[in-house]
């Protein structure tokens, strides 16, 4: 078989070897030349599919919990929708777009994603929910002073965090 006259094949690389595996001195090297880059095999695609399915399942679970939160007091809805967004970003751009464009949840989710901001009506609803939840907890469970103070401290920390979040630009 005749040798090729391709200059790239005969030119030595940074390691001093040509693409044919010979060193600059013409001796055969023991290190093989790198294999050409191939398109992803079916095995790699299959390996990625379980991960995508797991992310999608987690996203759907979080959306389901968020929907339940619409009807169950003290179970936040938007928090679970925010958590579902990165799951859908890793698994289904279609579901991510559906969530971002949803008429009810979309504006708040877009504000959170773009600015880490919470709209004023959401802040008010959050604080009202925490207050109603704490009063209900105290009236129904009748906790002792220590558990009541513990729950109050956690809710106060959450309320402080919500209040300190900025509001989306364009809102007064």
């Amino acid at each position: 078989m005749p040798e090729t006259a391709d200059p790239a094949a005969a030119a030595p690389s940074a390691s001093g070897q040509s693409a044919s595996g010979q060193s600059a001195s013409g001796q055969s090297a023991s290190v093989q030349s790198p294999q050409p880059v191939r398109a992803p095999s079916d095995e790699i695609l299959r390996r990625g599919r379980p991960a995508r399915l797991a992310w999608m399942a987690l996203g759907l679970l979080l959306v389901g919990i968020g929907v339940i939160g619409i009807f169950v007091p003290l179970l936040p809805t938007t928090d679970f929708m925010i958590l579902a967004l990165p799951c859908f970003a890793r698994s289904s751009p279609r579901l991510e777009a559906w969530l971002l464009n949803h008429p009810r949840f979309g504006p708040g989710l877009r504000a959170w994603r773009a600015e880490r901001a919470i709209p004023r009506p959401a802040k008010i609803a959050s604080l009202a929910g925490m207050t109603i939840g704490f009063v209900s907890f105290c009236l129904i469970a009748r906790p002792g002073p220590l558990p009541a103070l513990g729950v109050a401290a956690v809710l106060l920390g959450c309320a402080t965090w919500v209040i300190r979040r900025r509001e989306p630009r364009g809102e007064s």
Side-chain angles (χ1 to χ4, degrees):
M1 215 159 51
E3 290 195 28
T4 63
D6 182 12
S13 66
S15 66
Q17 292 184 351
S18 68
S20 63
Q22 293 184 344
S23 67
S25 64
Q27 296 176 345
S28 180
S30 62
V31 177
Q32 302 247 343
S33 63
Q35 296 296 320
V37 177
R38 288 183 270 158
S41 68
D42 289 342
E43 180 183 355
I44 292 172
L45 294 175
R46 279 195 301 267
R47 196 174 353 167
R49 186 172 184 183
R52 284 193 308 274
L53 290 175
W55 281 114
M56 186 182 295
L58 180 59
L60 291 171
L61 175 69
L62 292 168
V63 167
I65 294 171
V67 168
I68 292 169
I70 295 171
F71 306 104
V72 177
L74 300 180
L75 186 61
T77 298
T78 306
D79 296 355
F80 287 104
M81 300 299 176
I82 288 172
L83 291 172
L85 271 179
C87 296
F88 290 148
R90 288 169 175 83
S91 64
S92 173
R94 184 177 58 97
L95 289 174
E96 179 188 24
W98 169 77
L99 205 52
L100 287 170
N101 295 319
H102 191 276
R104 173 72 178 105
F105 306 117
L109 295 175
R110 286 189 303 270
W112 178 257
R113 178 176 268 186
E115 306 174 46
R116 297 292 192 249
I118 300 175
R120 183 171 290 168
K123 286 182 178 185
I124 293 169
S126 176
L127 297 173
M130 285 186 235
T131 303
I132 292 168
F134 182 69
V135 169
S136 299
F137 169 70
C138 289
L139 293 175
I140 294 169
R142 299 194 185 275
L146 213 50
L149 282 174
V151 170
V154 169
L155 289 176
L156 186 60
C158 293
T160 302
W161 185 86
V162 167
I163 291 168
R164 293 179 52 104
R165 300 307 305 176
R166 67 175 164 214
E167 294 179 13
R169 292 184 191 124
E171 267 191 38
S172 53

